[in-house]
Amino acid sequence: MKTEWIASFHFFSSFLLARHCLVSSFPINVNQKRNTNPSVRLYTLSASVINSGEKVSGDEINDNDDHNDDDDDDDAHNLRYTRFGGVGRLYARESSNSDANINDDTPKQVVEPHFQIVDRLTASTVGVIGIGGVGSWAAEALVRSGVGNVILMDLDDVCISNTNRQLHATSTSIGKLKTQEMKRRLLDINPDCNVTLIHDFIMENNVQDILEVMRPQVDVILDCIDGAKEKTALLAACTQRKIPIVTCGGAAGKVDPTKVVVQDLTRVLYDPLLALCRKNLRQNHGFGKGISFLDQKRHNIKPKKWRIPAVYSTENVSGNEKKAPSSSRLCDGPLGTACFVTGTFGFVAASEVVNMLAKGKLTIPRKDNRNA
């Protein structure tokens, strides 16, 4: 009796398992389901295309003969709001002027402030200079926040020692260009994002030419360069051209991601890279004179701001580097790094950029700090 019961149990279990596999092996044809919401229909179709790798023809997307270009525009807007509506709602609560800098393509019937925030981000262009341990995380955060146009600049390829800290470093990407790997990833996140690649390094003798190419479109530059000379040149050129820029300090040797903060470049502490850039800007590019830390404490005063947001860590690393890092250094630095620190740098930098864009309040840098 016991043997017969066990046999029956196994038969019934096998029947259920086979039935489940049979049903799961056939994809659902979304066109068989009646759906009056075009945004949901398009979103579902897009997901099936990504998962199956198959192209969907125009006939498959159209449910009726009345489909036209206006419907396509509405679908594109609806899909955009579905992807990034959460970001729009987040910043709409803080925005005091939701009608500023609205994309001309915004549908006339859309009046919700969070839709306007999404359109504002979609119309924005951000240049990310340096796609490494900080820039790779920052670039993805920007695209996931709805920024519609991204310029990625780097000439380096993915090194195996990048694995500990750079988003695009995987076993299959070793030896490939960082910009190309990052573009592939970003388009997988948002196929409608415009990703432009510049295969070069920023240097003192080309920074003006690079910015001349970017300037008609770019709204904000995100500086993720790890070389003091190159970083100084970029900061000086952006200030001269009045291009908003967010700069990032050194993440090497840091172990506590909770110490990462944002301050004006004139007020950064515990960051040798940014301190050297600040010195170079004053000595070689006419930026305003600073105030010694002794005088700041003695007289309870702070230097006037250059309006250059700087992301850095207040963690004081023991030991001194012999010289500032250079863009041509080896893949792995002497102090060591970790992704939970470089990633935090990138996320904080991206948040500073998105704050500017979403609120429509760009911070224009200036070298003359006589007026705060």
Side-chain angles (χ1 to χ4, degrees), residues 305-364:
K305 295 180 178 180
W306 288 343
R307 297 172 60 85
I308 300 176
V311 180
Y312 70 104
S313 173
T314 59
E315 181 181 355
N316 193 5
V317 178
S318 59
N320 296 320
E321 295 182 80
K322 294 182 179 180
K323 61 179 181 179
S326 169
S327 294
S328 59
R329 65 183 175 86
L330 297 175
C331 287
D332 203 16
L335 294 181
T337 47
C339 67
F340 47 80
V341 175
T342 61
T344 302
F345 268 74
F347 289 153
V348 173
S351 74
E352 193 70 16
V353 173
V354 173
N355 278 333
M356 288 189 197
L357 298 173
K359 297 176 182 179
K361 298 178 180 179
L362 302 181
T363 303
I364 307 299

Side-chain angles (χ1 to χ4, degrees), residues 38-39 41-42 67-81 104-110 119 192:
S39 66
R41 184 185 73 250
L42 181 59
H67 188 81
N68 53 39
D69 291 340
D70 291 336
D71 293 333
D72 288 337
D73 292 339
D74 290 341
D75 285 346
H77 281 103
N78 289 332
L79 183 56
R80 180 193 310 165
Y81 301 144
D104 291 337
D105 294 334
T106 304
K108 301 304 180 184
Q109 70 273 20
V110 174
D119 285 336
D192 296 325

